[in-house]
C-alpha cells in the first residue's frame, strides 16, 4: 500500500509543478515583471497562510489516524469541527493583521501596471477569504488521516494545477489582475467546498457542526509545536539568502540560490514519502517497534535516491550546471553545489525521524531542536560568510542539517528504542552495490562523451538503476504496512 500512496502523492505534487513550469513563462510574458511580482505575492499569501494555522492540519491527520486505529472514528467529527473553528479564529487574526498592514502593503505593491483601486479590491478579497481558506486543512486532514490518498489527490491535483493554468487561460482574453486574483481565491474556496462534501459522504455526522470545548487544548497543545517547526524551517530557507545579500552582496546570492533551488526541490521525494507514511506512524502510536520496522526500511530507500543525486553532483555536477546555467556557472557555484548536496543527503534522511516524533506524540522534539539551532546558525553564518564567502555559507547550512538529522535520530532511539536502520534481505549491501555501480557508470560516461551527451547518458543510466532498484525492493513494501 505504501508504494501506491507514494505514487498518488508524488503525482499530486509533480503534475501541478509541470503545469506551473509551462504556465509561468507565458504569465510572465503577458503580465511583465511588476504585475507578475504582485501575482507571485498573492500566490504566496493564499498558499502559505495555512502554515500559520497552529499545525492544526497535521494535527487532524494525527488524531484521525489514531481514532481510526482505536475503532473510535465516530469521534473524529468533533476533532475536525473543533479544529476548523480553531483555524477560522486564526484566519480572522491573520486577516486582521493584513488589514492593519494594508497601507504598508499597498505602498510595497504600488505599480504603474496595477491601479490603486484594483490593489484595494484584491487586498479586500484576500482579507475576506483567508478565514475560509484556513478551515480547509481540517477537512483535508480527515481524508488524509483515513489514508484515502487516491481520493485526496484526485481532488487536489486538478485544483492545484488550476492555480497556474487558470491565470494563464484568463490572460488570453484579459490582463485584469482583479479577475486573476479572484480566480485563484475561488479555486481555494472550491477546494474547501469539495473537501466538506467528501467528508459528509464518508461520515453523515459532518452534516451538523459538532464542536467540543474540551478538545481545544488538546488540538492547540499538539499543533503549536508543529507550527513552530514549520515557521523555523521556512525561516532557515529564507534568512540565509538575506544575510548573504547583506554581508557579501546581492550578486553572490545567485551563486548560492541556484544550487540551493536544485537541492531543495529534490526534497519533494522525502516530503511525499513521509506524508504517505505519517498516518501509519500515528496509527501505531503505541507500537514503536512496528514503526521502527517500517521507517527503518524506508531509510534505505531515501539513502539510495539521494545517494544517486550525491554521486551525480560529485561526478557530473559541473557539466550539469554549465548546461543549465551557461556562462554563469562558476567554479564557486559548483563547489557550493557539492557542499549543499552533502547537506541534502542528511536533510532528506531527517524527514523520517521528524515524522516519527510528530506521529508518536512528541512534536516538541523537532521544534526544540530548531529553536536551539537558530541562534547558532545565524551567528555561524555571519562568521563563515565574512571569512570564506558563499562557500562558507554552504558549509554552515550543511553542518546545521547534518547535526539536526543526528539529533532527531538520536532522540528517536533514546525515546522509543527505534534503531536508525532495519537490516534485512541485504538492503544495505543493495544500496552500496547500486551506488558503486553508478559511480563507475558516470565516470565512464564522462570519459566517453562530452557536453550534453554526458547528461543524456547519465540520465539513462540513473533511470535504469532506479528501475532495477525499485524492482528489487518493491516486494518488501507489502510487509512494511
Amino acid at each position: 500500500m505504501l508504494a501506491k500512496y507514494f505514487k498518488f502523492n508524488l503525482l499530486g505534487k509533480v503534475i501541478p509543478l509541470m503545469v506551473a513550469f509551462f504556465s509561468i513563462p507565458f504569465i510572465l510574458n503577458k503580465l511583465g515583471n511588476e504585475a507578475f511580482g504582485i501575482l507571485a505575492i498573492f500566490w504566496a499569501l493564499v498558499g502559505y497562510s495555512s502554515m500559520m494555522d497552529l499545525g492544526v492540519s497535521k494535527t487532524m491527520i494525527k488524531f484521525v489516524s489514531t481514532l481510526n486505529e482505536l475503532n473510535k472514528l465516530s469521534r473524529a467529527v468533533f476533532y475536525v469541527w473543533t479544529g476548523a473553528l480553531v483555524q477560522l479564529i486564526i484566519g480572522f487574526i491573520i486577516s486582521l493583521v493584513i488589514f492593519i498592514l494594508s497601507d504598508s502593503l499597498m505602498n510595497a505593491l504600488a505599480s504603474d501596471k496595477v491601479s490603486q483601486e484594483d490593489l484595494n479590491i484584491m487586498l479586500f478579497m484576500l482579507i475576506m477569504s483567508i478565514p475560509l481558506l484556513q478551515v480547509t486543512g481540517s477537512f483535508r486532514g480527515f481524508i488524509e488521516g483515513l489514508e484515502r490518498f487516491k481520493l485526496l489527490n484526485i481532488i487536489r491535483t486538478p485544483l492545484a494545477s488550476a492555480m497556474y493554468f487558470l491565470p494563464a487561460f484568463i490572460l488570453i482574453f484579459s490582463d485584469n489582475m482583479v479577475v486573476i486574483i479572484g480566480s485563484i481565491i475561488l479555486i481555494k474556496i472550491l477546494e474547501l467546498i469539495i473537501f466538506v462534501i467528501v467528508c459528509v459522504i464518508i461520515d453523515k455526522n459532518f452534516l451538523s457542526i459538532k464542536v467540543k470545548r474540551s478538545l481545544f487544548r488538546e488540538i492547540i497543545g499538539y499543533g503549536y509545536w508543529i507550527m513552530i517547526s514549520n515557521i523555523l524551517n521556512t525561516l532557515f530557507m529564507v534568512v540565509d539568502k538575506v544575510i548573504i545579500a547583506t554581508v557579501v552582496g546581492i550578486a553572490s546570492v545567485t551563486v548560492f540560490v541556484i544550487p540551493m533551488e536544485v537541492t531543495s526541490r529534490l526534497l519533494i521525494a522525502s516530503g511525499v514519502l513521509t506524508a504517505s507514511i505519517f498516518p501509519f506512524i500515528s496509527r501505531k502510536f503505541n507500537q514503536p517497534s512496528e514503526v521502527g520496522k517500517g521507517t527503518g526500511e524506508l531509510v534505505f530507500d531515501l539513502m539510495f535516491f539521494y545517494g544517486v543525486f550525491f554521486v551525480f553532483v560529485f561526478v557530473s555536477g559541473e557539466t550539469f550546471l554549465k548546461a543549465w546555467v551557461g556562462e554563469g556557472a562558476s567554479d564557486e557555484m559548483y563547489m557550493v553545489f557539492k557542499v549543499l548536496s552533502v547537506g541534502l543527503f542528511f536533510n532528506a534522511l531527517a524527514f523520517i525521524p521528524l515524522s516519527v516524533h510528530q506521529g508518536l506524540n512528541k512534536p516538541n522534539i523537532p521544534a526544540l531542536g530548531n529553536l536551539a539551532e537558530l541562534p547558532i546558525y545565524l551567528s555561524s553564518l555571519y562568521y563563515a560568510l565574512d571569512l570564506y564567502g558563499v562557500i562558507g555559507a554552504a558549509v554552515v547550512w550543511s553542518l546545521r542539517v547534518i547535526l539536526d538529522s543526528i539529533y532527531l535520530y538520536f532522540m528517536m532511539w533514546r525515546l522509543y528504542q527505534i534503531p536508525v536502520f532495519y537490516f534485512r534481505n541485504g538492503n544495505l549491501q543493495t544500496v552500496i552495490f547500486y551506488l558503486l555501480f553508478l559511480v563507475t557508470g558516470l565516470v565512464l560516461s564522462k570519459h566517453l562523451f562530452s557536453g550534453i551527451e554526458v547528461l543524456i547518458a547519465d540520465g539513462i543510466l540513473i533511470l535504469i538503476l532506479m528501475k532495477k532498484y525499485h524492482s528489487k525492493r518493491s516486494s518488501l513494501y507489502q510487509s512494511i504496512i
Side-chain angles (χ1 to χ4, degrees), residues 329-446:
S330 62
D331 291 340
E332 186 180 29
M333 184 182 288
Y334 176 47
M335 182 58 69
V336 169
F337 199 22
K338 289 198 290 186
V339 173
L340 291 178
S341 70
V342 177
L344 172 73
F345 181 81
F346 287 91
N347 197 18
L349 295 182
F351 275 64
I352 294 290
L354 173 66
S355 292
V356 170
H357 290 303
Q358 292 177 345
L360 298 184
N361 298 322
K362 293 288 184 180
N364 59 312
I365 298 298
L368 289 172
N370 290 151
L371 283 170
E373 291 164 13
L374 184 61
I376 300 171
Y377 177 64
L378 294 178
S379 56
S380 301
L381 194 59
Y382 270 107
Y383 181 77
L385 277 167
D386 189 46
L387 289 179
Y388 307 107
V390 180
I391 294 173
V395 170
V396 170
W397 182 86
S398 292
L399 285 175
R400 182 191 71 78
V401 295
I402 290 169
L403 292 174
D404 184 60
S405 182
I406 293 170
Y407 161 74
L408 291 174
Y409 275 107
F410 172 75
M411 294 303 294
M412 185 175 75
W413 170 77
R414 179 77 179 271
L415 292 174
Y416 327 110
Q417 288 73 55
I418 294 177
V420 175
F421 303 114
Y422 184 78
F423 293 97
R424 185 175 65 176
N425 293 348
N427 36 28
L428 180 60
Q429 295 93 317
T430 300
V431 171
I432 293 172
F433 171 78
Y434 277 99
L435 291 181
L436 287 175
F437 187 85
L438 177 64
V439 172
T440 305
L442 294 183
V443 170
L444 283 173
S445 170
K446 198 170 183 179

Side-chain angles (χ1 to χ4, degrees), residues 238-351:
V238 174
V239 71
D240 44 22
K241 301 171 184 65
V242 176
I243 294 175
I244 289 170
T246 304
V247 176
V248 294
I250 192 69
S252 297
V253 175
T254 304
V255 176
F256 184 83
V257 165
I258 288 177
M260 177 60 83
E261 278 296 302
V262 176
T263 54
S264 61
R265 295 296 178 189
L266 281 171
L267 287 173
I268 188 175
S270 282
V272 167
L273 185 62
T274 50
S276 303
I277 201 172
F278 183 73
F280 161 74
I281 296 172
S282 299
R283 282 194 285 111
K284 301 295 182 181
F285 67 97
N286 58 353
Q287 300 175 52
S289 61
E290 287 296 307
V291 172
K293 177 183 175 182
T295 58
E297 288 281 5
L298 296 177
V299 169
F300 289 102
D301 296 328
L302 290 178
M303 284 177 65
F304 172 73
F305 180 82
Y306 289 99
V308 166
F309 176 73
F310 176 81
V311 169
F312 173 77
V313 169
F314 271 77
V315 178
S316 303
E318 187 174 13
T319 306
F320 168 78
L321 282 177
K322 286 179 178 178
W324 186 41
V325 181
E327 294 180 0
S330 62
D331 291 340
E332 186 180 29
M333 184 182 288
Y334 176 47
M335 182 58 69
V336 169
F337 199 22
K338 289 198 290 186
V339 173
L340 291 178
S341 70
V342 177
L344 172 73
F345 181 81
F346 287 91
N347 197 18
L349 295 182
F351 275 64

Side-chain angles (χ1 to χ4, degrees), residues 7-23 153-154 156-162 164-165 268:
K7 289 175 184 176
F8 293 145
N9 288 331
L10 186 63
L11 285 172
K13 293 288 186 181
V14 170
I15 291 173
L17 281 176
M18 294 299 294
V19 173
F21 178 80
F22 291 106
S23 299
N153 286 289
I154 287 173
R156 189 168 56 181
T157 303
L159 292 173
S161 301
Y164 301 100
F165 169 76
I268 188 175

Side-chain angles (χ1 to χ4, degrees), residues 27-138:
I27 296 170
L28 178 60
N29 183 56
K30 285 286 187 178
L31 288 179
N33 289 337
E34 288 187 12
F36 180 81
I38 294 171
L39 174 60
I41 289 169
F42 274 87
W43 263 332
L45 289 171
V46 171
Y48 291 104
S49 62
S50 60
M51 293 190 67
M52 302 296 293
D53 73 344
L54 283 178
V56 174
S57 301
K58 196 159 192 177
T59 301
M60 287 304 107
I61 302 171
K62 159 68 182 169
F63 288 155
V64 171
S65 299
T66 302
L67 290 170
N68 194 29
E69 178 72 8
L70 298 173
N71 295 316
K72 296 179 180 179
L73 192 59
S74 58
R75 293 181 56 195
V77 64
F78 295 102
Y79 280 88
V80 174
W81 276 114
T82 306
L85 180 58
V86 171
Q87 289 182 310
L88 187 67
I89 294 168
I90 295 167
F92 279 121
I93 295 171
I94 294 172
S95 290
L96 180 61
V97 170
I98 294 175
F99 175 75
I100 293 169
L101 298 174
S102 58
D103 287 340
S104 299
L105 283 170
M106 289 288 290
N107 291 331
L109 297 174
S111 168
D112 295 335
K113 302 294 183 180
V114 182
S115 68
Q116 288 291 307
E117 183 182 355
D118 284 352
L119 276 175
N120 269 319
I121 295 171
M122 288 152 56
L123 274 176
F124 176 76
M125 290 191 299
L126 179 69
I127 289 168
M128 296 301 293
S129 63
I130 279 180
L132 283 175
L133 303 185
Q134 285 286 313
V135 171
T136 305
S138 288

